[in-house]
Amino acid sequence: MKRAIRTLFAAVLAASAAVSCGSSLEIGELRPSLSGNAVEIPAQEVCFGWMLNASEPGTRQTAYEIRVSGNPGLSGHSDVWNSGKVLSGESRAVPYGGEPLQDGRTYWWTVRVWDAADRPSAWSAPERFSTALDPSEWEARWIGAIRRAEARLPEGNDYHTWGMSPEKAALWEQVDTLAKRSIMLRREFRAARPVAEAVVRICGLGHYDLRVNGREVDTTVFKPLWSEYGKTVYYNAFDLTDLLSEGPNALGVVLGNGMYNVCGGRYVKFRHSDGPPTLCMQLDITYTDGSRERILSDTSWRYALSPVTFNCIFGGEDYDARLEQPGWDLPGFDDAAWCDVVEQEPPKGTLTPQTAPAIAVCERCGVKEHRKTGPQRHLFDMGQNLSGFPTLKVRGRAGQKVRLVPAEQLSEDSLTVRQATSGSPCWFEYTLRGDSVEEWTPQFAFYGYRYLEAEGVDYLTAGSGGEVPVILDLQSDFVHASAPATGRFECSNALFNRIWFIIDKAMRSNMHAVFTDCPHREKLGWLEETHLNGPGLLFNYDLRGVLPKVMRDIADSQRPDGLIPDIAPEYVVFREGFVDSPEWGSAGAILPWMYYEWYGDDSLIREYYPVMRRYADYLAGRADNYILSYGLGDWCDYGPLPAGHSQNTPVEITATGHFYLVADCTARAAALVGDKAGAERYAVLARNIAGAFNTRLFTPETAQYGNGSQCSNAIPLFLGIVPAEYRQAVAGNLARAVDEKGGKLSTGDIGNRYLFQALARCGMNDRVYRMHNHGGVPGYGFQVAAGVTTLTEQWDPRLGLSWNHFMMGQIVEWFYNSLAGIRPDPENPGFRHFFVEPAVVGDLEWVECSYRSIYGLIESCWKLDGDRFRIRVRVPVNTTATLVMPFGDPEPRLLTSGVHEFEVPVPEDRRL
């Protein structure tokens, strides 16, 4: 019914528009919120944005009209808000301007625009959005199988394995079976009349799977997203209209532990619990006669143990198909043997709609190579290291088991998997029910792996019912946040293309509820990766929904004294040195400005200015005359010692440099929000830090910072705090520091970005090219030559540790903003205006690059064609670009929307 109304409405709009428009503009993608296509949006945060397509070059929007309705059939009018014709070229973050929207309601909106000739476009098809419930409107109860006291779970959430007392370890050993088992919960109800609309809001902690009348509601996984559960708890909303019917209906929920309840049993990085698995659910039904009914989670529900006999976010999952109860999620199922649920203590955090993209199976990899390594022993190479879990298709007898052990590395004999550097033991185990072909996918655990090892099985063997089960098919499900891809880079250098590939795969592998350091051993949100790799991440993926979630994690984890810990959420408090490092905590001040630069949205700056201010004050309190002398420094830089704490660069350089960044970001934030006193105070702080940096860490006689390492000179160059009269000399010293290493780098996790960008900004892109166009150590090329399929934790993967880290991936930023030349303009954020200034370096013959901005597709594609340099630039509607050609072409070109092509002669000494 609803779909028919929507289709009819779209047809009416299209017909009316066809009569009235003739515009050169066409409405593309619609977004009812800044954070993306969220299912539910807090009513006060509703705003509208759209992309435009143009049939004529140079076209721009001059006006818009928005209509909002509480009815999908708004045709020619609006019953909630009509903006009228607004003379404006704005096409993003247009605020709702009508009467206050009601909480927990569904609305539809549509927009049209006028072009420069004052011709209206067609109306867009109506787009739906829903407003979130106010926390006070939740009537549902938190329910489950046991209360915290019955589960004997320790209070608090600081239970890591380092230095655990025997008493505490013994306490964990007493944890009830239910703390590791998964449970199923169900409830039946009758829909008294035909259903017009049904919306469910649900939070199942740690994770849940919701089923209605025997059907899976949603295919995403690991719902809801992890959070600092003492501050924030996310819920999801789903439209169940098409799943419910008049008469009997059944709701079924399976609960798993997730990060909410890490109780161990196999490998764990730490032990942590906010309570036993728990459910809170509210189903609002509107009938066709206008009456309403609300179905809640309460003590009328029943539960039973599920076939998931073990689940741990770190250690894996076991499933016994013999324990399945067919029809448990259908009406009429006999649940007399099930148990009554108990009402549980709710988590302390506020129920909040999840606006960040869900975690989903985004790709699937089959077996690329199979080896039989012994009697009934098999090793499967899935061809790609990834974060995820296997999907198994098997045949055998009831009670037979298939255990799959995942790993990203092999042992020295290449016959068995090796988990020593990724967390051991972890496995996925399936017990067969024994009827025909069986298929299984884990629900509540994932791991980082390329290889799967199975013992006690056969593979693709004819027949069935033998002594061992037979694996008929095996797939690896690549699981990560479903943020849309926005960037593409390719060039004539095959090595660079492969570097981009392995970094991108590592980015995806670690883009989950948090940006994890690795998808196996830790799964923690180490914060330095978010800002040091921020530009590369922002070019590659739409993070409008992701970064606000990261900032909320940071704010929720900030301590009363202002400290932003190195990880957020701070599920575990590590030993000294891994808690308070300015290069990590500074993400809380830097990320809101990156978000603003990429999306033109200052909401994170405004919301989290108090977080910046408290952190800047905290660092000021720890400084000695504006110098910070603690932290991890340039983590995992390359040198003679094992990777870890900085060995090439004084920690004062990196710590104080980031102190300056925090102060500068805070000063600018204060000015933006109108805090004049704060703007002056933090600007003075930033100037004093810069002055102390130059007084205590700079030697004018040699024009060297620190000990003259690459990182030492790159950071002040990048920050712009080198005195003008010394800038050229310091840049020369940086170049010599690279040359003295044979053209290779000596930086690590912290210094990479500053090294690459300082060289590029000082006109030394040729050096950056040579630094990466080789197959030796240190460098990305060595990893490519070693055959890894994701970026590794160390420059030399042979030295161990994780083979799926994106922390060293800062070169992606250089691919986009130097080789392709696409750079945002800080003065016109959101790519409303941007620069295209490609660097033609080394033996590159061509580059093809694109970025889908909030206004539309940007392209920079160039090639050397004999004695000519040719470039094609695409500029979206409502934006402009400044093109700076290479080879000293003196005239920057201001480009309006459309596709533009230019060429200039290539000097003889630069021709291929």
Side-chain angles (χ1 to χ4, degrees):
M1 177 80 168
K2 186 189 302 179
R3 288 176 181 165
I5 292 173
R6 191 177 301 170
T7 301
L8 176 61
F9 172 49
V12 171
L13 281 180
S16 63
V19 174
S20 62
C21 67
S23 172
S24 60
L25 294 175
E26 178 185 24
I27 306 292
E29 175 185 326
L30 300 183
R31 285 183 179 266
S33 74
L34 289 168
S35 60
N37 291 314
V39 176
E40 289 210 328
I41 311 164
Q44 67 275 14
E45 296 179 12
V46 172
C47 60
F48 304 102
W50 53 91
M51 285 187 182
L52 295 171
N53 301 317
S55 59
E56 301 172 4
T59 302
R60 60 186 176 88
Q61 170 191 313
T62 58
Y64 66 80
E65 181 180 1
I66 298 171
R67 294 177 180 174
V68 179
S69 175
N71 188 316
L74 76 159
S75 177
H77 72 281
S78 162
D79 61 1
V80 175
W81 179 53
N82 187 338
S83 70
K85 183 177 181 181
V86 178
L87 299 179
S88 170
E90 189 57 74
S91 59
R92 53 157 303 282
V94 176
Y96 169 78
E99 293 296 317
L101 297 170
Q102 298 180 39
D103 292 333
R105 290 289 305 275
T106 298
Y107 297 91
W108 285 262
W109 72 287
T110 184
V111 62
R112 64 174 173 172
V113 300
W114 281 260
D115 63 14
D118 202 32
R119 297 173 297 186
S121 72
W123 285 98
S124 66
E127 181 74 16
R128 169 182 173 159
F129 70 92
S130 298
T131 54
L133 280 183
D134 186 270
S136 64
E137 296 183 51
W138 279 83
E139 300 177 17
R141 297 291 184 257
W142 292 89
I143 60 173
I146 51 174
R147 299 180 180 89
R148 174 184 285 274
E150 294 167 335
R152 297 189 296 279
L153 295 172
E155 293 290 337
N157 58 350
D158 181 14
Y159 294 94
H160 57 82
T161 55
W162 291 345
M164 181 180 286
S165 68
E167 293 77 16
K168 186 178 286 187
L171 181 60
W172 276 99
E173 290 303 318
Q174 298 171 10
V175 171
D176 192 278
T177 301
L178 284 173
K180 299 176 185 178
R181 289 286 301 264
S182 164
I183 60 171
M184 305 182 295
L185 305 95
R186 71 182 309 274
R187 155 96 193 257
E188 292 191 28
F189 68 94
R190 290 188 63 84
R193 290 166 291 281
V195 175
E197 183 179 48
V199 176
V200 66
R201 296 171 177 88
I202 177 172
C203 177
L205 299 174
H207 296 303
Y208 71 90
D209 177 38
L210 172 63
R211 304 183 67 81
V212 175
N213 294 332
R215 293 172 60 184
E216 191 174 40
V217 169
D218 176 64
T219 59
T220 62
V221 296
F222 303 116
K223 303 181 290 285
L225 298 181
W226 307 338
S227 62
E228 183 63 63
Y229 298 107
K231 300 288 185 63
T232 299
V233 175
Y234 292 109
Y235 73 85
N236 307 108
F238 301 103
D239 183 351
L240 302 187
T241 308
D242 295 335
L243 295 178
L244 298 182
S245 58
E246 185 177 6
N249 293 273
L251 303 171
V253 178
V254 185
L255 291 181
N257 286 314
M259 276 291 188
Y260 186 72
N261 183 40
V262 183
C263 53
R266 294 177 195 161
Y267 169 74
V268 288
K269 178 67 177 180
F270 51 86
R271 290 176 175 175
H272 153 105
S273 182
D274 283 278
T278 187
L279 170 68
C280 188
M281 195 195 80
Q282 202 158 284
L283 170 60
D284 289 306
I285 303 172
T286 302
Y287 295 111
T288 53
D289 64 0
S291 61
R292 296 185 177 184
E293 184 177 7
R294 175 168 281 179
I295 307 297
L296 305 172
S297 55
D298 54 27
T299 53
S300 67
W301 287 60
R302 309 271 285 169
Y303 85 89
L305 296 177
S306 88
V308 179
T309 58
F310 175 88
N311 73 105
C312 176
I313 199 69
F314 289 103
E317 186 170 327
D318 297 343
Y319 186 94
D320 190 339
R322 298 171 300 175
L323 303 178
E324 292 176 345
Q325 300 187 48
W328 73 274
D329 52 0
L330 290 170
F333 175 77
D334 183 3
D335 61 8
W338 287 39
C339 303
D340 293 331
V341 301
V342 296
E343 186 173 336
Q344 295 174 319
E345 179 185 351
K348 295 181 175 62
T350 301
L351 271 170
T352 305
Q354 177 182 308
T355 56
I359 312 302
V361 176
C362 298
E363 188 179 334
R364 181 166 278 186
C365 304
V367 176
K368 296 298 184 293
E369 183 181 342
H370 159 257
R371 278 182 287 167
K372 187 172 184 178
T373 55
Q376 300 171 359
R377 289 179 53 196
H378 298 265
L379 180 64
F380 303 94
D381 181 354
M382 311 306 288
Q384 176 62 54
N385 199 0
L386 50 76
S387 63
F389 41 66
T391 288
L392 170 71
K393 191 175 289 186
V394 64
R395 181 164 49 204
R397 296 175 179 171
Q400 292 179 330
K401 299 178 184 293
V402 176
R403 178 178 292 185
L404 298 171
V405 182
E408 61 182 10
Q409 299 181 33
L410 297 178
S411 300
E412 291 186 4
D413 60 9
S414 296
L415 298 177
T416 57
V417 296
R418 179 175 180 267
Q419 292 182 335
T421 58
S422 55
S424 175
C426 173
W427 68 77
F428 302 99
E429 184 172 275
Y430 179 77
T431 302
L432 283 76
R433 61 179 174 269
D435 59 338
S436 187
V437 176
E438 303 176 39
E439 188 169 338
W440 175 63
T441 302
Q443 292 173 277
F444 301 124
F446 71 93
Y447 199 76
Y449 70 97
R450 172 177 174 172
Y451 304 97
L452 289 165
E453 182 181 348
E455 188 171 356
V457 301
D458 279 334
Y459 177 56
L460 296 177
T461 304
S464 63
E467 295 182 357
V468 295
V470 177
I471 294 177
L472 303 175
D473 188 40
L474 190 59
Q475 304 282 332
S476 279
D477 295 337
F478 197 166
V479 175
H480 56 81
S482 53
T486 51
R488 180 184 67 87
F489 175 84
E490 190 176 5
C491 68
S492 59
N493 186 309
L495 174 59
F496 283 13
N497 294 337
R498 190 63 187 176
I499 292 170
W500 188 90
F501 175 89
I502 67 171
I503 295 174
D504 182 65
K505 291 295 186 183
M507 286 178 172
R508 292 172 58 188
S509 294
N510 288 285
M511 187 164 56
H512 283 262
V514 299
F515 279 110
T516 59
D517 56 332
C518 53
H520 35 59
R521 188 183 72 227
E522 294 193 11
K523 296 185 172 77
L524 291 171
W526 293 94
L527 292 177
E528 94 292 0
E529 297 176 309
T530 60
H531 72 90
L532 293 168
N533 285 282
L537 289 166
L538 286 158
F539 271 123
N540 275 1
Y541 293 96
D542 184 343
L543 301 185
R544 278 178 283 180
V546 176
L547 290 188
K549 198 273 183 183
V550 174
M551 283 305 302
R552 183 155 191 159
D553 289 339
I554 290 173
D556 285 352
S557 301
Q558 188 174 32
R559 297 185 183 177
D561 63 359
L563 165 65
I564 295 176
D566 291 359
I567 57 174
E570 195 179 18
Y571 294 129
V572 54
V573 179
F574 287 112
R575 61 176 178 253
E576 185 65 28
F578 292 89
V579 173
D580 179 11
S581 196
E583 304 89 347
W584 276 249
S586 57
I590 298 170
L591 283 179
W593 283 101
M594 284 189 173
Y595 193 79
Y596 180 50
E597 193 170 327
W598 250 257
Y599 302 127
D601 174 12
D602 64 10
S603 62
L604 297 188
I605 298 172
R606 294 182 180 277
E607 182 173 1
Y608 296 109
Y609 167 57
V611 171
M612 300 183 202
R613 191 179 62 239
R614 289 197 299 270
Y615 187 54
D617 291 346
Y618 170 81
L619 294 179
R622 292 214 58 183
D624 176 13
N625 289 322
Y626 306 105
I627 298 294
L628 291 179
S629 303
Y630 70 92
L632 299 174
D634 191 10
W635 181 255
C636 281
D637 56 353
Y638 189 78
L641 302 176
H645 288 79
S646 177
Q647 56 185 296
N648 299 323
T649 302
V651 71
E652 291 85 354
I653 293 286
T654 55
T656 308
H658 286 84
F659 182 22
Y660 171 83
L661 270 173
V662 169
D664 178 65
C665 288
T666 306
R668 291 186 287 129
L672 187 146
V673 303
D675 179 3
K676 295 182 179 179
E680 176 62 21
R681 174 186 173 191
Y682 292 107
V684 169
L685 176 62
R687 288 196 296 271
N688 288 340
I689 298 167
F693 197 103
N694 286 323
T695 299
R696 294 178 56 179
L697 302 176
F698 180 57
T699 304
E701 293 77 11
T702 60
Q704 296 278 20
Y705 281 88
N707 59 1
S709 69
Q710 295 172 8
C711 182
S712 291
N713 286 321
I715 284 180
L717 283 169
F718 177 92
L719 296 178
I721 63 175
V722 180
E725 64 271 26
Y726 291 104
R727 184 170 177 83
Q728 185 174 353
V730 173
N733 282 332
L734 177 61
R736 279 187 289 277
V738 172
D739 294 343
E740 289 169 0
K741 296 290 184 182
K744 297 180 181 179
L745 56 81
S746 65
T747 50
D749 181 20
I750 306 302
N752 289 343
R753 185 188 182 215
Y754 303 116
L755 173 62
F756 305 159
Q757 292 303 307
L759 289 170
R761 296 176 187 188
C762 290
M764 293 185 279
N765 280 299
D766 278 302
R767 271 189 171 80
V768 184
Y769 186 86
R770 290 193 299 271
M771 182 183 293
H772 301 296
N773 189 33
H774 65 85
V777 179
Y780 301 103
F782 184 81
Q783 299 185 32
V784 170
V788 300
T789 59
T790 46
L791 190 64
T792 67
E793 186 173 5
Q794 293 195 67
W795 285 120
D796 188 344
R798 297 170 300 183
L799 299 178
L801 299 184
S802 164
W803 281 14
N804 198 341
H805 261 63
F806 77 99
M807 74 178 189
M808 297 288 199
Q810 298 90 345
I811 195 61
V812 171
E813 178 183 6
W814 183 75
F815 287 160
Y816 281 98
N817 66 19
S818 287
L819 295 189
I822 300 173
R823 298 198 318 274
D825 178 2
E827 301 300 319
N828 294 274
F831 287 83
R832 189 68 181 262
H833 172 265
F834 58 95
F835 298 97
V836 179
E837 188 173 0
V840 183
V841 293
D843 57 359
L844 274 185
E845 299 178 18
W846 56 268
V847 167
E848 293 190 359
C849 182
S850 65
Y851 167 62
R852 187 172 178 80
S853 75
I854 58 173
Y855 290 102
L857 189 67
I858 296 170
E859 286 185 321
S860 172
C861 305
W862 62 261
K863 65 178 179 179
L864 295 177
D865 187 5
D867 62 353
R868 310 297 291 177
F869 170 85
R870 308 182 193 277
I871 189 169
R872 183 181 77 253
V873 178
R874 182 184 298 272
V875 181
V877 178
N878 279 3
T879 71
T880 58
T882 296
L883 171 64
V884 179
M885 299 286 272
F887 309 125
D889 187 68
E891 293 295 329
R893 295 163 168 82
L894 182 64
L895 310 181
T896 57
S897 64
V899 177
H900 308 267
E901 296 186 357
F902 300 96
E903 61 178 71
V904 293
V906 179
E908 289 191 14
D909 62 341
R910 297 303 303 269
R911 296 175 187 173
L912 297 176

